[in-house]
Amino acid sequence: MASSTSQLEKALPPSEHDLSTDEGMLAYLNQHTPFSTSYVTRLSGGFANWTYRATLESPYKFVDDVNQSRALETIVVKFSSDVAAAFAGVALDLYRTKAEIAALKLINGLNLPNFRGMGTTQKLPTSTTQPAIFLPELLSYDTTNHVGCYVDLGPLPSLKQYLIDHPGSDAVELAAKIGDLLGQFLAGLHLWGYQVSHTDPSILDIYRQSESAKKICAWRTIEFVEGSAKEYNIDGNWEKITETLKREVLDSNDTFNMGDFWTGNILMELEGPANPRSLKALYILDWELVKTGPASTDIAQFAAEAFMLRQYSGRATSGSGTSDEPTDASPAGEALLVSFLEGYERHVKKSSTDNMTSRSSGTSVVEPSYERGKSIQDVLLDSRSVIGHLCAHVATIGKTVSWANRETTERTVRRVLELMITNDQSDTTSSLKDVLTALEVK
């Protein structure tokens, strides 16, 4: 039987091999792990870590948490260091690896919408009408050398790449289904985090102490907003606007944050060639930026990426496809955005209503107050904060995406920068529908 996450953690001797190279990782796997390996291949992408696919000399056999026999011919290996894999000069805190492994263990034991934890007795979905969300399945973790070995999901497409390749109306139904599933899942995670932050806050101590994750999440977009504004000659009180957003990330402990909830970290498993638009499962990867913080940042990061898919992956208006040609909105990208926000809000409001009903019958824990006069909906559905962080994401990351054309990019970035100014002067509401209104999405 597969072991619990804590049992899979081992402190092995310090490795003498350079784990940032194929050769070093191959030697390490064969010397220190049960995964006898023929060769390893570095996988592309990834800012923080070195990630490899290891091809095994013979299948690795084990029985998983749902008592199914498994035989793996390949595994995925992730090595974390105190410097970023993509940028040698960027220092990173290795505390992030401790937080990620703890999060995988924690979340796998939670009862969240559309989620199948590896520690449950529920099997993989067998019906196309019941797709499920999963986390990466950990096989072993070396706490000394910071090497994690995971079940290889194979060549599954990321949600981002799939909707870049399928932006049209033929993928709308699938995109809407995925958005709804993910919106409900994230709402469930935030509701749980909000509740325990008031009733048993020690559960979140390890994530509350993830200071480096908070700093990275504040730096990666907000730090560069003012530069984008200067580039586009848009005047505003950018010091005040960005400082407000930074303080929300750095100071808030409202709830549990995934920290990197975006379309590139979500893999899709479809039923196969016979049902190319039928979803079987979603896998949410890379939990090392877990922390406590405002719900708005997780919501905004995913919504910003969905908005960029809407803006950038549509077809050229004239059909010529030239790099300077404006594009129509992607129907699939828009469906993902709308259904995600609607699914999130619907689950929060339903849970609040159910809680009030239970309270009236004396069977519910009283909803904790965040601040005097604020409800769970006020905290989790803060439209003003979501709009601010969404626009910061698009104004920085959204101006350099390789799959967008210049005219549409400039028009979109200018639009979100102007929206940041008006949003900073507006009152907040407890409805994510106002995010869609602000973005002029139906």
Side-chain angles (χ1 to χ4, degrees):
M1 188 70 119
S3 303
S4 68
T5 304
S6 58
Q7 293 173 314
L8 296 175
E9 296 178 60
K10 294 182 179 179
L12 299 178
S15 177
E16 67 275 20
H17 306 293
D18 182 357
L19 302 183
S20 66
T21 67
D22 293 7
E23 297 79 10
M25 182 55 70
L26 176 63
Y28 165 85
L29 290 171
N30 285 323
Q31 181 177 344
H32 294 294
T33 76
F35 308 110
S36 298
T37 303
S38 297
Y39 60 92
V40 300
T41 305
R42 175 86 183 274
L43 299 179
S44 61
F47 166 78
N49 307 301
W50 287 263
T51 305
Y52 304 90
R53 173 168 285 117
T55 300
L56 307 182
E57 291 181 348
S58 59
Y60 175 74
K61 298 179 180 180
F62 70 106
V63 178
D64 66 15
D65 285 320
V66 292
N67 205 31
Q68 293 179 324
S69 296
R70 309 276 289 278
L72 307 178
E73 296 184 354
T74 61
I75 61 171
V76 169
V77 185
K78 185 165 74 171
F79 164 57
S80 303
S81 176
D82 56 3
V83 295
F87 299 96
V90 177
L92 297 175
D93 189 345
L94 279 167
Y95 186 86
R96 71 187 194 276
T97 64
K98 177 182 178 181
E100 179 177 31
I101 298 302
L104 294 178
K105 177 182 178 182
L106 172 70
I107 297 168
N108 267 317
L110 298 181
N111 181 21
L112 299 175
N114 311 311
F115 177 64
R116 300 290 188 274
M118 293 300 178
T120 72
T121 57
Q122 295 170 296
K123 294 187 177 183
L124 295 174
T126 57
S127 169
T128 57
T129 63
Q130 297 178 338
I133 296 170
F134 297 87
L135 301 190
E137 188 171 357
L138 183 68
L139 297 168
S140 68
Y141 185 74
D142 175 359
T143 60
T144 304
N145 298 293
H146 308 290
V147 177
C149 296
Y150 296 84
V151 170
D152 186 3
L153 297 172
L156 299 180
S158 71
L159 176 57
K160 173 184 175 179
Q161 191 58 55
Y162 184 89
L163 290 184
I164 290 174
D165 295 339
H166 302 85
S169 57
D170 58 336
V172 163
E173 183 177 352
L174 176 60
K177 179 66 174 178
I178 291 172
D180 185 60
L181 289 170
L182 292 171
Q184 291 186 58
F185 168 82
L186 187 64
L189 184 61
H190 287 165
L191 283 162
W192 170 85
Y194 178 88
Q195 186 78 22
V196 299
S197 72
H198 291 80
T199 59
D200 194 359
S202 63
I203 292 176
L204 300 180
D205 281 351
I206 186 173
Y207 314 109
R208 195 176 294 109
Q209 296 165 16
S210 295
E211 294 298 328
S212 63
K214 290 192 174 191
K215 290 177 182 177
I216 289 172
C217 291
W219 165 82
R220 64 187 174 193
T221 57
I222 303 168
E223 188 68 26
F224 305 101
V225 167
E226 191 167 356
S228 291
K230 289 180 179 178
E231 180 180 342
Y232 285 84
N233 297 313
I234 297 179
D235 294 328
N237 192 351
W238 294 111
E239 183 176 354
K240 172 182 175 292
I241 292 171
T242 56
E243 184 61 23
T244 298
L245 295 175
K246 285 180 185 177
R247 294 268 57 90
E248 288 179 358
V249 176
L250 297 172
D251 297 343
S252 170
N253 293 300
D254 289 351
T255 186
F256 180 96
N257 274 181
M258 192 277 183
D260 208 12
F261 197 78
W262 72 292
T263 53
N265 275 347
I266 297 167
L267 300 185
M268 302 168 54
E269 183 176 4
L270 301 175
E271 286 292 339
N275 295 292
R277 297 286 187 270
S278 185
L279 183 69
K280 181 178 181 181
L282 297 169
Y283 300 88
I284 304 176
L285 312 181
D286 291 342
W287 290 77
E288 63 187 69
L289 291 182
V290 288
K291 57 184 180 63
T292 53
S296 58
T297 53
D298 275 347
I299 300 169
Q301 185 180 12
F302 187 91
E305 290 287 331
F307 180 65
M308 290 193 294
L309 284 168
R310 175 192 187 268
Q311 295 295 104
Y312 298 158
S313 60
R315 302 307 184 198
T317 53
S318 71
S320 65
T322 59
S323 62
D324 296 329
E325 182 95 20
T327 55
D328 290 323
S330 159
E334 181 167 313
L336 180 72
L337 172 63
V338 172
S339 62
F340 170 73
L341 293 176
E342 289 181 346
Y344 185 101
E345 179 165 341
R346 185 174 64 255
H347 187 75
V348 168
K349 290 186 173 180
K350 180 180 184 301
S351 297
S352 299
T353 301
D354 290 347
N355 189 48
M356 290 297 294
T357 302
S358 298
R359 284 173 60 186
S360 66
S361 63
T363 61
S364 170
V365 176
V366 175
E367 176 184 302
S369 60
Y370 166 67
E371 291 177 2
R372 190 180 301 276
K374 282 197 171 185
S375 68
I376 287 181
Q377 291 188 32
D378 293 331
V379 177
L380 300 188
L381 303 176
D382 185 343
S383 62
R384 182 170 179 267
S385 182
V386 171
I387 292 169
H389 288 284
L390 184 156
C391 289
H393 189 104
V394 177
T396 54
I397 294 176
K399 71 175 185 177
T400 59
V401 293
S402 60
W403 39 278
N405 68 60
R406 185 162 55 247
E407 197 281 339
T408 304
T409 300
E410 292 180 356
R411 174 164 47 86
T412 300
V413 172
R414 182 175 295 279
R415 178 177 164 192
V416 296
L417 285 167
E418 292 170 347
L419 178 55
M420 288 186 79
I421 297 173
T422 58
N423 182 65
D424 181 63
Q425 300 166 351
S426 65
D427 296 327
T428 190
T429 65
S430 299
S431 176
L432 299 184
K433 293 179 181 177
D434 291 328
V435 178
L436 296 173
T437 301
L439 295 174
E440 299 177 5
V441 176
K442 296 179 181 179

